[in-house]
Amino acid sequence: MLEVLKVIILGIVQGITEWLPISSTGHLILVEQLIQLKQNEAFTNMFNVVIQFGSILAVVVIYFHKLNPFSPTKTEKQKKMTIQLWIKVVIGTIPALIGGVLLNDLIESKLSNAYVVALMLIVYGILFIVIEKRNETREPKVKRLSQLSVKTVLLIGVFQMMAMIPGTSRSGATIVGALALGVSRSVAAEFTFFLAIPVMFGASALKLFKFGLAFTPMQVFLLLLGMIVSFAVSVIAIKFLMKYIKNHDFKAFGYYRIVLGIVVFLFFGIQALFK
């Protein structure tokens, strides 16, 4: 029963932090210090895959009509625009794919620690505040997804690649990049969601192939529960964010990241002193 509760809590944390630009890694490393699943490494790795998979399914479900180029209710022009959107998503994914191949091992061996996570939380928190303050006197140049140029989506893709550094937050990095390039908040958020689809599906498929499916019935239940919780909470988080940014900017998330970064620094710094 305790393992079920832990799975539910981790699914909730994943569902919220994957889409709000506050770093799922930063939250999970803290939560996992308090809540550790009493399972083997293969299960833990697979659990991280399926809760991420649940999150990305939420985007597919919420935006299915917008992302479906074969919808019978769309005009030919709308179908063409949907295909163009997918082409932009693919283009925006290229930097992350290249970066993943070239830099993944280096980042995992050198940068995967709590102090890097804390630093990135604070750095991108500051960037959110600075960019939003600058944008207070500027009108966005891109107010619709159709206005995104190839150059802009490639540059947003570069920001997504930078999110490979733990604590950066994939959604945080791409939203910061888009805002800096003159993209409106709603378009920045939606395009960030869409960019996640090929990246997260690809990562989930690779890990699924790597770890296999040799689990007990109870473990399969826990995996499915985690995925369902992550999916349900992700739906709520995505709808909340899109509603929130209609009347608010991202500065609140910036301040939150700075506070969380300080907490992570202090938590692991103090912990190291008493080892």
Side-chain angles (χ1 to χ4, degrees):
M1 187 63 190
L2 186 58
E3 288 293 276
V4 170
L5 181 60
K6 290 178 181 179
V7 162
I8 291 172
I9 292 172
L10 290 169
I12 291 171
V13 173
Q14 165 65 23
I16 293 172
T17 60
E18 183 62 50
W19 303 115
L20 302 187
I22 52 178
S23 175
S24 57
T25 305
H27 287 78
L28 287 171
I29 64 168
L30 283 176
V31 174
E32 287 171 357
Q33 289 292 311
L34 306 171
I35 302 174
Q36 295 184 344
L37 293 172
K38 293 182 179 179
Q39 303 289 337
N40 57 37
E41 185 180 354
F43 174 87
T44 302
N45 288 328
M46 181 55 67
F47 181 76
N48 291 333
V49 171
V50 298
I51 59 174
Q52 190 177 65
F53 186 73
S55 291
I56 199 62
L57 276 180
V59 174
V60 175
V61 170
I62 292 172
Y63 290 100
F64 184 78
H65 178 71
K66 181 174 280 192
L67 294 171
N68 181 13
F70 308 109
S71 173
T73 61
K74 286 185 175 180
T75 65
E76 288 304 311
K77 181 179 179 180
Q78 289 173 325
K79 290 178 180 178
K80 183 179 178 181
M81 290 177 67
T82 305
I83 292 171
Q84 290 173 345
L85 173 60
W86 273 110
I87 292 171
K88 291 173 182 178
V89 168
V90 171
I91 292 170
T93 304
I94 292 172
L97 291 176
I98 295 172
V101 172
L102 298 178
L103 302 173
N104 186 64
D105 291 342
L106 175 66
I107 289 172
E108 284 194 356
S109 62
K110 301 295 184 182
L111 299 178
S112 292
N113 62 73
Y115 301 107
V116 171
V117 169
L119 179 63
M120 290 299 101
L121 280 166
I122 293 169
V123 167
Y124 274 81
I126 293 170
L127 282 175
F128 265 118
I129 295 166
V130 170
I131 291 170
E132 283 287 30
K133 282 187 178 294
R134 184 204 69 172
N135 286 351
E136 287 175 353
T137 57
R138 299 187 182 190
E139 191 72 17
K141 293 183 290 185
V142 178
K143 297 182 180 180
R144 295 192 301 274
L145 286 164
S146 59
Q147 293 178 318
L148 286 167
S149 66
V150 171
K151 179 183 176 182
T152 299
V153 298
L154 263 177
L155 289 172
I156 293 173
V158 171
F159 276 91
Q160 179 173 241
M161 179 184 70
M162 292 165 63
M164 292 176 62
I165 302 173
T168 300
S169 167
R170 194 200 58 79
S171 60
T174 51
I175 290 173
V176 160
L179 292 176
L181 294 168
V183 178
S184 70
R185 295 185 192 101
S186 59
V187 173
E190 283 197 344
F191 194 67
T192 290
F193 300 154
F194 302 156
L195 273 182
I197 295 174
V199 171
M200 291 172 68
F201 264 127
S204 296
L206 286 174
K207 289 178 181 177
L208 189 66
F209 178 77
K210 180 179 178 180
F211 299 123
L213 293 168
F215 300 106
T216 67
M218 184 59 187
Q219 287 177 324
V220 171
F221 168 74
L222 292 174
L223 290 171
L224 290 174
L225 177 63
M227 183 177 72
I228 292 167
V229 171
S230 176
F231 168 82
V233 176
S234 290
V235 169
I236 296 169
I238 290 169
K239 289 185 175 181
F240 163 78
L241 182 63
M242 295 309 297
K243 184 177 180 180
Y244 177 86
I245 60 177
K246 286 181 179 178
N247 300 308
H248 304 84
D249 59 29
F250 283 99
K251 287 201 290 289
F253 296 109
Y255 291 119
Y256 179 86
R257 288 179 64 103
I258 293 169
V259 172
L260 180 64
I262 293 170
V263 170
V264 173
F265 259 130
L266 292 175
F267 182 89
F268 286 95
I270 293 170
Q271 193 178 67
L273 288 175
F274 287 93
K275 280 187 176 180

